[in-house]
Amino acid sequence: MAGNEGSMFGTLDILMLSGMAGVALYWFVFRKKKEEEVASFKPLKVAPAMDRSESFDPSFISKMKKMGRNVVVFYGSQTGTAEEFAGRLAKDASRYGMKGMVADPEEYSMEDLTKLPDIENALAIFCMATYGEGDPTDNSQEFYDWLQEGSEDLTGLKFAVFGLGNKTYEHYNAMGKYVDKRLEELGAERIYEQGLGDDDANIEEDFITWKDKFWPAVCENFGITSIGEDISMRQYSLQTHDDIPSEKLFTGEPARLGSTRTQKPPFEAKNPFLASITVNRELHKKGDRSCMHIEFDITGSRIRYDAGDHIAVYPTNNSELVDRFGQRLNADLGQVFSLNNVDEDASKRHPFPCPTTYRTALLHYLDITSCPRTNVLKELSDYTEDAKDKAFLASMAQATPEGKELYTDWIINHHRTLLHVLEDLPSVNPPIDHVCELLPRLQARYYSISSSPKINATTVAITAVLIEYTTKTGRHQQGVATSWLKLKRPTDDLQPKVPVFVRKSQFRLPFKPSIPVIMIGPGTGLAPFRGFIQDRQCQRKDGKPVGETVLFFGCRHEDEDFIYEDELKAFLEDGTLTQLHTAFSRDQPEKIYVQHLLRQQKDEVWRLLELGGHIYVCGDARHMAHDVDEVLHDIVIEHGNMTREKASDYLKKMRSRGRYSCDVWS
């Protein structure tokens, strides 16, 4: 006994030490091994090598000093327009003895703004688009966060802002306004008032009107004068290739060469996934309009999505239009070429992936169906033989009231594309390489996802109306993406593949399924709500308490374009949908829309709001969403016994708390 009492370790001690040793062994050996395994996995970073020089420097200050630049134009762009405007402003600088460069804020250290005053006569210009419900664009998100969190002293920085937005949205030009206000708060000096471009009207006119007054303000501030006329200068030089192997040619990849041949995750905007189309069926029962239900198979992509997210599709232009371009310009579309930036220090080496063929560029990389900007018309005038045509094009490029009116009427109102201009003015004969330089990039098209991953995590559905119309010149126009997708019909032997990626959204069901929801979505605005309803159905089947689920849907005719009719009635029958209110606008003499039904159900709407319910609106921003908002104001005023001002505050609080969400378009 005495010997046992005197021993250093007892049985319990030994067991405890053995356990601790085992934990230590796990931690230092097995845990470390797991950490090494995790660390060894490197996600694919798709750097667009064709756009960026190998010696890329994240400091725009050092680049400006090296290149002798004193004007930097930053852009926040989702569709390419802000980037295009930034390029035009940088080019304009040379007319005033200044040298400009374009910069993507995502690629540079924006903290360097504090050092910009070190450069003589330095100026920073910001072309900032607003995305969604007042959000920054993807490439300006980090800059926005820096402005919000930072407290840097920007004293001495001279700046100007041009915002790009759409007045049909509640948060019109929110990003541009914020950048303008925040830079001033940090001590920067605004040298000219902020410009606001409205894409719902004529954003080109807004831009040229603003910049026509902006540059004189720059001259006055810096004590400089214009050094000459607006001389056209090529940004890219042509290089043709005759002996490049086919595997070295870009064939439609957005960024990485061969990415469509060797698919590697993660998949995003610069590295889309080739998804198979497994379903492509017509939703309209009759009539001359078309609405498609399309399902993409994303098996093996590791792409995750939630109901309410968006899927982006990279479309291909109509091959007949491309052939017409080649014929009109007398060009060999099979010629392999590159467009190389004449500025060897520029971060963007090519306007689109090069080398490639003219056919590939016109099919996959260039927007050939939009209306040309005024600067493009000015460039075309230099290639015009007929003096009358030359003067006509030049006049539309002028920032005069007459020039703006002529441009709006002949180009915008008649929806003339660049091809139409070339066809209507036969004396205009630009080289095809310059046309490729002038055309904007073809952008991905975004669609609200109309399915739920709770039903099938490897299937993404969209609901898309075929866009087609006849212009005032009698030309038949079709939507680039929808007309292309219309032809992508799967068979037993073939499932067409389409490049896609998913973009996350804030358009989400409440975290608690028990919270009631009101969904308002006429036409294809129903798309995300189909996913929402599928979510709620799965939650009910899992035994979760699900709140009331109310849908307001509208279309023209019940027997023609009541999409997903059978599904909605089945959801109503099994209790997933608590209420279904339908408005068929043209089935009676007086048109009835969803906003009218909402007003009829005002008591029920208020009851659900008082229960903490969420409201979701999807569809047309210009009319429907605005009218719905007006009805909601009236309901809150009447049932909440509030003034108009207090009702607005009530709805603003709902928005800020995620209880009133919109996914709208114009």
Side-chain angles (χ1 to χ4, degrees), residues 183-256:
L183 289 174
E184 184 180 45
E185 290 174 348
L186 293 173
E189 176 190 352
R190 182 189 302 104
I191 67 166
Y192 186 64
E193 65 186 35
Q194 179 191 8
L196 298 177
D198 179 15
D199 196 40
D200 187 52
N202 187 340
I203 199 168
E204 172 69 12
E205 180 177 327
D206 295 335
F207 177 65
I208 61 174
T209 300
W210 177 81
K211 80 182 185 76
D212 194 48
K213 296 177 180 177
F214 163 71
W215 284 115
V218 172
C219 290
E220 181 179 352
N221 191 283
F222 289 101
I224 57 178
T225 57
S226 173
I227 62 173
E229 293 296 318
D230 185 7
I231 303 171
S232 297
M233 294 181 294
R234 291 286 299 268
Q235 185 178 350
Y236 298 94
S237 63
L238 172 66
Q239 179 183 7
T240 57
H241 310 281
D242 296 319
D243 55 357
I244 291 184
S246 59
E247 63 270 16
K248 298 294 184 181
L249 294 182
F250 284 93
T251 58
E253 308 94 318
R256 180 172 64 87

Side-chain angles (χ1 to χ4, degrees), residues 7-20:
S7 69
M8 189 172 292
F9 299 103
T11 304
L12 182 59
D13 296 318
I14 292 171
L15 289 172
M16 291 178 65
L17 286 171
S18 299
M20 292 171 66

Side-chain angles (χ1 to χ4, degrees), residues 133-201:
E133 294 299 301
D135 301 318
T137 59
D138 292 344
N139 78 308
S140 61
Q141 181 66 56
E142 291 181 11
F143 174 48
Y144 174 74
D145 294 340
W146 177 76
L147 285 175
Q148 282 198 312
E149 300 163 5
S151 57
E152 281 77 0
D153 183 6
L154 298 183
T155 301
L157 172 67
K158 296 186 177 184
F159 78 95
V161 176
F162 184 82
L164 296 85
N166 188 308
K167 278 188 177 176
T168 60
Y169 291 81
E170 180 187 2
H171 305 283
Y172 172 60
N173 258 312
M175 184 60 180
K177 292 175 181 177
Y178 175 76
V179 171
D180 185 70
K181 174 175 174 287
R182 184 61 178 147
L183 289 174
E184 184 180 45
E185 290 174 348
L186 293 173
E189 176 190 352
R190 182 189 302 104
I191 67 166
Y192 186 64
E193 65 186 35
Q194 179 191 8
L196 298 177
D198 179 15
D199 196 40
D200 187 52

Side-chain angles (χ1 to χ4, degrees), residues 66 79 124 189 203 284 312 330 520-521 636 649:
K66 178 183 176 183
T79 63
E189 176 190 352
I203 199 168
H284 286 177
N330 193 28
I520 305 158
V636 175
D649 290 340

Side-chain angles (χ1 to χ4, degrees), residues 606-632:
W606 180 251
R607 180 183 71 83
L608 293 174
L609 290 183
E610 286 293 274
L611 290 174
H614 288 218
I615 292 181
Y616 300 90
V617 181
C618 184
D620 167 52
R622 185 179 290 110
H623 302 295
M624 183 276 296
H626 176 268
D627 292 346
V628 164
D629 190 68
E630 283 297 310
V631 172
L632 291 174

